[in-house]
Amino acid sequence: MRTQTERRTEPADRGPRTRIGAWLARPLTSFHLVVTIAILLTVLGLVMVLSSSSVESVAQDGSAYGKFISQLIFASLGFVIFYIALLIPVRVMRKWSLAAFGFTVVMLVLVLIPGIGTESQGTRGWFVIGPISLQPSELAKIAFAVWGAHLLATRRRDNPSLKEMLVPLVPAAMLVFVLIVLQPDLGTTISLAIILLALLWFSGLPLKIFLSVLGAGVVGALTLGLTAGYRSARIQAFFNPGDDPQGMGYQARQAKYALADGGLFGEGLGQSRAKWSYLPNAHNDFIFAIIGEELGFIGAAAVIGLFGLFVYTGLRISRRSADPFLQLLTATATAWITGQAFINIGYVVGVLPVTGLQLPLVSAGGTSTATTLLMFGLVANAARHEPEAVAALHSGQDGRVSRLLRLPKPAPYIPPRPRGAAVVRRAENKRVHPVRAERAQRPQPRGAVRHDEPRRRVPDGGRRGDDNRGHRGHDPVSERGRATRSRDARPGERGMRR
């Protein structure tokens, strides 16, 4: 008859009962999930950019593939950056995080200078070199996330105070906020705010302080939204959509019409009517409306499901990682990418005001696509540093993807020694036994024997040898060997003073 302890431990010994559970229990599942999600979202984005931008590309360039080719080039570049991110060691990532963040701040300053930065759609936020355009604010988001995770992970092991958690992280974020608002770019400002809040939340900031920071951020966002002309017009159009249906409310209204036309199964790939100059920025900010029109509710739900799967995967990696830096970085990247995605979907379906945030990896945007793939690469790199994954890779269970990409084996995480540990260890070694210290302070009479010291043995081997000489059975060779052995140290006495 089985005991109660055996019944209690039996389910744990069986392991996963389903195939999905067994697959999720594999050491490299998180890595495969991140790679699969990145590929699916990028391929879906390329297809939908081709479908939604073909009409506008023909009108501007005479070819239906103009914007698609540009997006394809940046997506290919993004996958190269994705592969490079897999090769970066964690220690190198942390070492150069501050320098990378400082470099992006310098770029944000330079882009505001007329003649260096280029203005497009009312925002001076691009460097244009020939056919290539670069948006430094996208790089600043990644650099801030990596540096912030490194800073908080370094200080978290020392039980930091509230001031050490907020300084210099929050002042540095305020500096970047000011530089981006001067462009102006409300969408990037919101993305950076999401990164800051995620860093503070996952680093263990007290709830009251976090709510205070969140409230200050909401007040600041409302102030910015009501002070500038185009931002206040968007907020007014959100609360009163019928006041200006052909002006600021036109884009949001047309997006709802496109979603309504899609129905359950959609009109079919390439069969959208909204892209025929009815819906502005159909290939960029409002590409989710085209997905809903052409692929229907099922296609839109599949996109939401992919981002939901990314939330599960990112938090799984963060929970299973042993390195505090990778825990913070992965959780922050997950909150940033999915937060930006659901804000985009929210204003397309009409539950949020239009902010201009793009749908990650799906909307057309070269710098955004490349930098998002860089962030996915860093998350995949963190997935390969899970303790189970490190053990499996070092034991030869590389898997097809790792062998195909020829990825190096990740180094296992070694917790750093706390500060002051060496000093405490040296102090403990120098500590004297209290009984011996008391005996050392007592005045000892002349000729007294110290019991805490080893007694010295009187070397009488030579006298006994002289007495035995001449007797029967005396062997000079054995006597010489016995004298040699007496001079050797006993086991355990090597290095001791006698």
Side-chain angles (χ1 to χ4, degrees), residues 195-328:
I195 295 173
L196 175 62
L197 292 174
L199 285 172
L200 295 176
W201 174 260
F202 290 111
S203 63
L205 188 71
L207 181 60
K208 293 182 179 180
I209 307 300
F210 179 80
L211 293 178
S212 301
V213 175
L214 179 61
V218 172
V219 172
L222 292 176
T223 304
L224 292 175
L226 296 176
T227 52
Y230 79 101
R231 290 192 292 260
S232 61
R234 286 179 175 180
I235 295 177
Q236 293 176 6
F238 170 73
F239 288 105
N240 302 303
D243 292 349
D244 192 8
Q246 298 298 322
M248 291 302 297
Y250 175 79
Q251 197 174 20
R253 180 183 293 268
Q254 291 297 323
K256 294 178 183 178
Y257 290 159
L259 291 171
D261 291 341
L264 183 61
F265 298 102
E267 298 287 340
L269 189 62
Q271 303 300 317
S272 170
R273 292 190 293 267
K275 65 184 180 182
W276 291 84
S277 301
Y278 289 105
L279 179 62
N281 291 328
H283 62 286
N284 196 343
D285 297 347
F286 284 82
I287 196 170
F288 187 77
I290 305 300
I291 294 175
E293 184 182 9
E294 294 186 352
L295 304 181
F297 176 80
I298 295 178
V303 174
I304 297 175
L306 284 176
F307 283 106
L309 182 60
F310 179 68
V311 172
Y312 164 76
T313 306
L315 296 181
R316 166 193 167 100
I317 297 171
S318 178
R319 179 177 56 87
R320 293 163 65 99
S321 296
D323 190 346
F325 166 72
L326 294 180
Q327 292 175 359
L328 280 175

